[in-house]
Amino acid sequence: MKKVFEMSCVLTVLGILGACKIGNNKKDFIPGMYVSDARGEFALASDTLVFSVGAGENSYSIERRTGYQLITEGRPGKREWGRESWTGIFDARSGLVQEMRKGRVIRFVPDSAYLVIGRRVYRKVR
């Protein structure tokens, strides 16, 4: 009986440590630059998200740079640019980052080097 109890304690501790390691791997993966391109009937767009460690332990500063071209009569127009600054909070339990202003949920997939916001996928480039 004592052996069974000791084994279950060891497995529990290993499980907790394994969960922490997975969370840390994801947290270590987050900082960097991510890109996404989109094409529709009326516009071409490219997004760049730059994640950097913020002021708090689980806080991230996120800069979004967007370039887009409206399509008129089948031809792309002049390139326009936009820029936004976001703040995100990492939740270690879920492994997600919650963007604070609009409540966007950002999911990271370190094994495949991308993130997802809604249905949009961003590839990590560095």
Side-chain angles (χ1 to χ4, degrees), residues 38-80:
R39 180 181 181 94
E41 184 179 350
F42 303 107
L44 302 170
S46 58
D47 267 352
T48 300
L49 298 176
V50 179
F51 282 75
S52 51
V53 177
E57 180 181 334
N58 290 324
S59 174
Y60 290 91
S61 297
I62 308 163
E63 182 180 349
R64 179 184 185 196
R65 301 178 210 145
T66 304
Y68 61 93
Q69 293 172 278
L70 298 178
I71 298 174
T72 308
E73 298 177 4
R75 301 180 119 183
K78 181 182 168 201
R79 188 93 167 150
E80 306 274 339

Side-chain angles (χ1 to χ4, degrees), residues 13 27 54 58 66-67 82 87 91 93 103 109 114 117 124:
V13 169
K27 192 172 178 179
N58 290 324
T66 304
T87 300
D91 179 10
R93 190 175 345 185
V109 184
Y114 69 86
I117 301 175
K124 186 167 187 175

Side-chain angles (χ1 to χ4, degrees), residues 35 49 104:
V35 296
L49 298 176
R104 296 174 183 101

Side-chain angles (χ1 to χ4, degrees), residues 53 88 105 107:
V53 177
V105 175
R107 181 174 56 92

Side-chain angles (χ1 to χ4, degrees), residues 2-121:
K2 184 178 179 187
K3 284 242 184 230
V4 172
F5 177 73
E6 288 174 354
M7 185 58 94
S8 67
C9 287
V10 167
L11 290 175
T12 301
V13 169
L14 289 175
I16 292 170
L17 291 175
C20 291
K21 183 156 179 58
I22 290 169
N24 286 339
N25 284 343
K26 192 169 281 191
K27 192 172 178 179
D28 294 341
F29 172 78
I30 292 173
M33 182 181 288
Y34 301 81
V35 296
S36 177
D37 295 313
R39 180 181 181 94
E41 184 179 350
F42 303 107
L44 302 170
S46 58
D47 267 352
T48 300
L49 298 176
V50 179
F51 282 75
S52 51
V53 177
E57 180 181 334
N58 290 324
S59 174
Y60 290 91
S61 297
I62 308 163
E63 182 180 349
R64 179 184 185 196
R65 301 178 210 145
T66 304
Y68 61 93
Q69 293 172 278
L70 298 178
I71 298 174
T72 308
E73 298 177 4
R75 301 180 119 183
K78 181 182 168 201
R79 188 93 167 150
E80 306 274 339
W81 299 95
R83 183 174 280 196
E84 296 178 336
S85 293
W86 303 346
T87 300
I89 303 297
F90 178 72
D91 179 10
R93 190 175 345 185
S94 67
L96 302 172
V97 170
Q98 176 92 32
E99 185 270 327
M100 302 310 293
R101 191 171 45 127
K102 292 188 179 179
R104 296 174 183 101
V105 175
I106 304 168
R107 181 174 56 92
F108 293 87
V109 184
D111 296 340
S112 300
Y114 69 86
L115 69 80
V116 179
I117 301 175
R119 293 185 298 177
R120 192 146 190 193
V121 176

